[in-house]
């Protein structure tokens, strides 16, 4: 591996390192606090690299949610990756054997880096994107390892109660993400759509129309439906224009 390329990738992913270490520690603690061994938390980060989806599945597993519900909620939580994939088609087009991993490793932060950075001169773009994706997942796994091992050690020393209430980390995470999203984009529509969908689902539950186990996926489906109707046509039109421009540049 070219040392210069690796150094540039480390420099670019440094902000993700600090964020993923902190959030990864929270997941490791939350996962082991739910009664699972520390090594399973790390394994989950290797095979299920979904960020917020990993946080969410802890509560589902602890609550004994059926497999169909887990898969549906995880799909709905990650459905935004469809749009990420559309935006990265031109960048990953010639990735070859590395394409499956690049697709698997797309997270919000990795997408932001890959989509927004300029590849250094005389550097293979696909190799650069691969290193960035690998580093980001390594940061996440490292954070989870630290959190899971730390909680395990504290539990064996009889200090597990010091971490009571850590399950609120998931709620805190989504609140912080919401605040940051509103501060950066100034776009209130997703927030309003999600809040309205959640209130409507709870109201249907209170009225006896919707079961309590269906509140989450009903809220997600409704919110996504509103966003697709409101923003879908303009988004797809913009991405088609980007792809046409990319094809035109390659043919020249």
């Amino acid at each position: 591996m070219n040392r210069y390329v690796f150094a540039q990738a480390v420099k670019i992913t440094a902000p993700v390192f600090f964020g993923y270490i902190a959030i990864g520690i929270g997941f490791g603690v939350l996962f082991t606090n739910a009664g699972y061994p520390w090594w399973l938390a790390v394994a989950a980060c290797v095979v299920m690299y979904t960020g917020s989806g990993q946080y969410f599945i802890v509560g589902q597993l602890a609550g004994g949610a059926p497999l169909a519900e887990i898969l549906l909620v995880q799909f709905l939580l990650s459905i935004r990756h469809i749009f990420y994939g559309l935006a990265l088609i031109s960048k990953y087009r010639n990735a070859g054997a590395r394409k499956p991993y690049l697709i698997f490793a797309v997270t919000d932060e990795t997408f932001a880096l890959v989509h927004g950075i300029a590849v250094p001169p005389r550097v293979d773009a696909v190799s650069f994107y691969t290193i960035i994706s690998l580093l980001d997942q390594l940061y996440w796994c490292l954070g989870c390892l630290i959190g899971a091992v730390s909680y395990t050690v504290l539990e064996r020393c009889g200090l597990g109660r010091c971490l009571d209430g850590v399950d609120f980390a998931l709620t805190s995470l989504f609140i912080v993400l919401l605040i940051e999203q509103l501060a950066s984009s100034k776009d209130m529509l997703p927030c309003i759509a999600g809040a309205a969908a959640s209130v409507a689902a709870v109201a249907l539950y209170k009225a006896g129309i919707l079961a309590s186990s269906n509140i989450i996926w009903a809220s997600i489906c409704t919110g996504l439906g509103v966003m697709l109707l409101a923003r879908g046509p303009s988004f797809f039109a913009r991405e088609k224009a980007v792809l046409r421009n990319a094809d035109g540049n390659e043919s020249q």
Side-chain angles (χ1 to χ4, degrees):
M1 181 186 300
N2 188 299
R3 186 173 300 178
Y4 168 75
V5 176
F6 183 77
Q8 291 298 309
V10 170
K11 179 180 179 181
I12 289 173
T13 58
V16 178
F17 168 79
F18 292 105
Y20 273 13
I21 287 293
I23 300 175
I25 289 174
F27 171 75
V29 171
L30 187 66
F31 196 82
T32 49
N33 183 53
Y36 298 100
W38 67 268
W39 58 266
L40 192 57
V42 180
C45 298
V46 175
V47 301
M48 183 189 172
Y49 177 43
T50 61
S52 59
Q54 287 181 233
Y55 267 87
F56 208 93
I57 201 172
V58 175
Q60 290 184 294
L61 293 174
L67 179 60
E69 180 181 328
I70 292 175
L71 293 176
L72 177 61
V73 171
Q74 291 297 318
F75 171 75
L76 294 175
L77 282 173
S78 302
I79 200 170
R80 65 189 184 283
H81 287 226
I82 295 176
F83 302 100
Y84 291 169
L86 290 172
L88 294 175
I89 287 178
S90 59
K91 291 181 178 291
Y92 290 173
R93 178 172 297 175
N94 300 317
R98 289 170 288 186
K99 185 179 291 185
Y101 174 74
L102 288 171
I103 295 172
F104 164 78
V106 173
T107 62
D108 297 339
E109 291 75 17
T110 301
F111 168 77
L113 291 178
V114 172
H115 192 260
I117 63 172
V119 179
R122 301 183 301 278
V123 172
D124 178 66
V126 174
S127 298
F128 195 58
Y129 299 148
T130 304
I131 296 173
I132 288 175
S133 300
L134 284 168
L135 285 173
D136 285 351
Q137 186 174 12
L138 176 63
Y139 302 153
W140 179 256
C141 291
L142 179 60
C144 293
L145 175 63
I146 295 172
V149 172
S150 298
Y151 182 84
T152 301
V153 172
L154 288 173
E155 186 68 20
R156 290 181 179 177
C157 294
L159 300 175
R161 291 184 177 180
C162 296
L163 298 174
D164 285 349
V166 71
D167 51 342
F168 188 71
L170 177 60
T171 304
S172 302
L173 171 65
F174 281 108
I175 291 174
V176 172
L177 292 175
L178 174 61
I179 294 173
E180 291 183 350
Q181 180 68 25
L182 292 177
S184 61
S185 68
K186 310 297 183 182
D187 185 2
M188 294 295 296
L189 180 59
C191 179
I192 294 173
S198 301
V199 171
V202 172
L204 291 174
Y205 161 68
K206 293 293 186 180
I209 300 175
L210 190 68
S212 60
S213 59
N214 296 331
I215 292 176
I216 295 175
W217 70 261
S219 302
I220 296 175
C221 286
T222 304
L224 286 173
V226 171
M227 290 304 301
L228 285 173
L229 290 173
R231 300 286 173 78
S234 60
F235 176 85
F236 285 111
R238 184 170 62 253
E239 290 304 320
K240 287 181 180 179
V242 171
L243 291 175
R244 283 197 298 268
N245 291 335
D247 291 337
N249 293 334
E250 290 181 359
S251 62
Q252 290 178 356

